[in-house]
Amino acid sequence: MADFTKEVDQLLAKWDKTTSPGCAIAIIHNGEVVHKQGYGMANLELNVPITPSSVFYLASVSKQFAAMAIALLVEMGKITLADDIRQYLPELPDYCDSITIDHLVRHTSGLRDYLNLGSLAGKKSEDVWTEKELLEMLIRQKGLNFLPGDQYAYSNSGYVLLTVIVKRVTGQSMQAFSKEHMFKPLGMRHTVFKEDHQLVIPNRTAGYSRKANNGFVNEFHNLQVVGDGGLYSNVEDLILWDQNFYHNRLGKGTQALLDLVHSTKTLNDGSKHTYAFGLEHETYRGLNAVAHSGGLNGARTHMKRFPKQNFTVICLSNLSDFAPEEVSYKITDIYLSDHLQPIQSDIDTKPAKPAEHESESLADKVGLYRNPKTGIIRQVKFQDDQLVVLINTEFVVPLQPMGKNHFKALGFPVEALFEPFQSEGRFQMLEIFGDNPAMVYEPAESAKPTADALVEYCGTYHSIELETDYSLEIDEGNLMLRHRKIADNQLLPTIEDGFMGNRFEILFARNEDNSIAGFTLNSDRIRNIFFTLR
């Protein structure tokens, strides 16, 4: 393979300075490390540069390690994927016939995401999060997001529970089991699950985010739960991990173990999804890849492997607005140009305004859309002469036309397709993410309550599941949601008795006399949390 190091260095040059956080990368082809390098600073305060030896917080890239631990226990005959999790976690509520270990692995359990639950209760990532607290929070939940196996919905809760199962089955902590059965056999001497938030980790990079005016601020967290994240490593160790997917040295050393961790499974209705064991199957410019990303508090990470081309990109960053997946795609473009299908357009990098003749066909897409399964709202509107989707009040995604009814979400690997819906002139919107089943959003009627009507929703609401209160008040004609540990949240009307906030939506419930009784709260990873009017 040709030497493309200059092109890669040029791609990452803007981070290669002593005044900025940056990244470490490794590029592997046919078992050979063709490039590994650090760019930018591991610690701005101590003036320490990033090198391939620098240790990063991996965030959700950790999941493939937790899933491999489960696969090893299956190979040892200590568990089966069909086991009900209450066999190992009897304290959890008995929601339904069975939540299996397989459901946890593939994000099809329906369990609510603990990070979202904690955040909505006012818990900060800099607070200490323990396994005991997490279990207590999950025990308080009165329901699931959906019946196990019905849907795919990313849940960090499931992956923490996998590590609890590892501990209860083996009597070892996740770190001890991983060191014995994964890290040591592969020679990964700098990789550790941080089960104690005070643990000292040599060569660890500090995490940063960018200040609004200029410069950077420190980012950190005190999570003591692992499995969903919690792993620290460097690109040198991850090279060893990557190569094991070609020649397995773990467990019995069989191909069967690798086949298991790459396996996918259909949902209850027979539809497919692309998530395996902490690994996501995807297609990029005609090539099959296996990848996973991670991100939390100044950590942004990505590993992407193209098995048939025997090519891998590892990118670890300590800056919260760094885009490691985008970097991985661009590096792939450089090294695998002879294998890749042509790029159809430049929509990912050039958000153009719609042409005049398209304006009329775009205008009929504007409106409110609601997923009938989840209740989640999407609002499509014009903003700066461009069609955008409001995911919530602070998350706006521009849509770039690819055709009359076909759009690409700028900055995200998601497409939106508008299809005629029942009556003429109305559309339903399909969100398409890779090869996964499309999420369908049907047209919904927008509500426009008057300022006087908003008063009806005011009051104090309590959630048993979150053990917290929300106060709803009128401020300058706007309905505001307030919490003692959360920033004030303006609620925008959506459907009747429905409102959109920052990162969540709420739908009010009424008594038989049509008075307000409470509301349910939904987000992408939490559904139907009920708050009662005090």
Side-chain angles (χ1 to χ4, degrees):
M1 176 171 278
D3 185 359
F4 294 110
T5 55
K6 288 185 179 179
E7 287 92 331
V8 175
D9 289 344
Q10 184 177 1
L11 173 66
L12 297 169
K14 65 180 177 179
W15 290 286
D16 193 19
K17 58 185 72 172
T18 59
T19 57
S20 170
C23 70
I25 65 160
I27 305 167
I28 311 106
H29 186 244
N30 289 331
E32 177 187 355
V33 180
V34 296
H35 190 44
K36 64 177 180 179
Q37 185 66 44
Y39 304 85
M41 304 304 288
N43 192 301
L44 292 172
E45 293 165 297
L46 300 178
N47 199 34
V48 177
I50 292 173
T51 73
S53 298
S54 298
V55 174
F56 292 78
Y57 176 65
L58 297 191
S60 286
V61 171
S62 309
K63 286 182 170 67
Q64 59 196 277
F65 292 84
M68 180 63 82
I70 290 296
L72 287 168
L73 290 181
V74 170
E75 185 181 65
M76 295 173 189
K78 293 183 179 295
I79 64 172
T80 74
L81 293 177
D83 288 344
D84 190 316
I85 63 172
R86 294 184 73 252
Q87 180 178 337
Y88 311 99
L89 303 159
E91 64 269 47
L92 291 182
D94 188 8
Y95 294 115
C96 54
D97 288 343
S98 179
I99 301 175
T100 67
I101 293 176
D102 193 76
H103 289 138
L104 298 185
V105 168
R106 303 181 192 279
H107 297 297
T108 58
S109 68
L111 288 168
R112 294 163 175 164
D113 187 277
Y114 82 92
L115 287 173
N116 287 37
L117 289 171
S119 175
L120 291 167
K123 199 168 178 66
K124 308 295 184 184
S125 57
E126 56 265 33
D127 297 335
V128 177
W129 296 54
T130 67
E131 181 184 294
K132 180 176 180 291
E133 289 172 322
L134 180 142
L135 287 173
E136 289 174 348
M137 183 164 54
L138 292 181
I139 289 168
R140 288 197 303 271
Q141 302 310 300
K142 304 299 183 184
L144 300 170
N145 286 337
F146 50 81
L147 288 176
D150 271 6
Q151 300 176 39
Y152 164 88
Y154 198 86
S155 173
N156 288 292
S157 300
Y159 266 75
V160 176
L161 293 182
L162 289 177
T163 64
V164 178
I165 290 172
V166 170
K167 181 164 62 176
R168 293 185 180 183
V169 169
T170 66
Q172 294 178 289
S173 69
M174 185 63 193
Q175 166 58 19
F177 180 86
S178 300
K179 183 176 181 180
E180 178 182 348
H181 296 282
M182 290 186 280
F183 306 154
K184 191 172 181 180
L186 298 182
M188 299 173 67
R189 297 183 296 109
H190 308 287
T191 303
V192 60
F193 273 107
K194 190 179 180 184
E195 296 169 319
D196 178 353
H197 74 282
Q198 295 180 315
L199 180 69
V200 174
I201 299 176
N203 295 324
R204 180 176 62 85
T205 58
Y208 300 94
S209 62
R210 204 179 299 273
K211 289 168 64 175
N213 49 359
N214 199 11
F216 304 93
V217 295
N218 283 301
E219 289 275 11
F220 65 95
H221 65 82
N222 284 319
L223 302 180
Q224 287 191 170
V225 293
V226 300
D228 62 320
L231 192 66
Y232 287 74
S233 189
N234 58 25
V235 297
E236 293 178 332
D237 274 12
L238 292 177
I239 291 168
L240 302 173
W241 177 255
D242 170 74
Q243 289 303 292
N244 192 69
F245 285 98
Y246 297 101
H247 306 287
N248 180 33
R249 295 163 54 195
L250 301 182
K252 298 177 181 179
T254 66
Q255 180 63 34
L257 183 69
L258 300 181
D259 292 342
L260 176 61
V261 298
H262 284 98
S263 67
T264 58
K265 200 168 185 178
T266 59
L267 299 173
N268 291 340
D269 63 2
S271 60
K272 297 180 179 179
H273 69 94
T274 58
Y275 203 89
F277 277 54
L279 300 167
E280 183 89 32
H281 290 276
E282 62 178 49
T283 303
Y284 177 64
R285 295 182 63 185
L287 300 184
N288 293 327
V290 181
H292 210 289
S293 295
L296 182 72
N297 290 65
R300 293 296 183 270
T301 60
H302 188 77
M303 288 186 68
K304 188 183 302 294
R305 181 182 311 107
F306 295 85
K308 289 186 177 180
Q309 288 70 39
N310 205 326
F311 179 80
T312 298
V313 180
I314 303 167
C315 184
L316 311 178
S317 175
N318 62 337
L319 179 60
S320 62
D321 64 358
F322 193 92
E325 185 170 12
E326 179 183 336
V327 169
S328 298
Y329 282 135
K330 290 180 178 179
I331 290 174
T332 301
D333 291 343
I334 294 170
Y335 279 86
L336 297 184
S337 59
D338 293 341
H339 300 271
L340 298 167
Q341 293 178 356
I343 298 176
Q344 294 182 351
S345 69
D346 60 357
I347 57 173
D348 288 321
T349 55
K350 285 183 149 184
K353 294 181 180 179
E356 283 187 22
H357 70 277
E358 293 176 318
S359 297
E360 184 176 347
S361 64
L362 292 181
D364 59 12
K365 314 298 188 303
V366 171
L368 208 62
Y369 297 82
R370 187 170 187 261
N371 186 304
K373 285 187 177 181
T374 66
I376 296 296
I377 296 286
R378 296 285 188 258
Q379 185 171 3
V380 179
K381 59 188 297 187
F382 271 117
Q383 185 170 298
D384 299 327
D385 296 324
Q386 189 172 22
L387 208 60
V388 300
V389 175
L390 270 68
I391 306 300
N392 55 52
T393 55
E394 294 189 6
F395 190 8
V396 180
V397 179
L399 294 179
Q400 178 66 30
M402 297 177 69
K404 183 177 181 181
N405 296 321
H406 188 191
F407 299 80
K408 171 72 169 61
L410 289 174
F412 299 91
V414 179
E415 296 179 14
L417 188 65
F418 291 85
E419 294 183 342
F421 180 80
Q422 295 177 1
S423 61
E424 185 177 350
R426 303 191 74 188
F427 290 88
Q428 65 179 10
M429 181 176 69
L430 278 62
E431 284 185 355
I432 304 168
F433 179 78
D435 297 325
N436 290 300
M439 297 290 289
V440 180
Y441 293 81
E442 298 179 351
E445 296 297 327
S446 300
K448 298 179 181 179
T450 65
D452 291 340
L454 293 178
V455 175
E456 181 183 16
Y457 301 110
C458 293
T460 300
Y461 297 80
H462 179 73
S463 168
I464 296 174
E465 295 167 294
L466 297 181
E467 285 192 335
T468 199
D469 288 347
Y470 284 170
S471 176
L472 269 63
E473 304 170 5
I474 301 295
D475 188 346
E476 297 184 354
N478 298 313
L479 185 61
M480 304 294 295
L481 184 148
R482 293 189 165 120
H483 184 280
R484 61 190 181 89
K485 291 186 177 181
I486 301 173
D488 287 359
N489 213 309
Q490 182 180 345
L491 301 180
L492 300 181
T494 53
I495 60 176
E496 184 177 358
D497 284 337
F499 293 82
M500 176 186 291
N502 175 20
R503 296 183 300 149
F504 61 82
E505 297 159 13
I506 63 176
L507 182 64
F508 286 90
R510 294 180 178 272
N511 293 316
E512 292 182 359
D513 62 0
N514 205 38
S515 62
I516 298 294
F519 63 79
T520 54
L521 182 148
N522 288 308
S523 72
D524 283 337
R525 297 183 183 178
I526 294 177
R527 301 176 197 169
N528 299 318
I529 297 286
F530 193 73
F531 283 76
T532 304
L533 179 62
R534 283 189 179 275

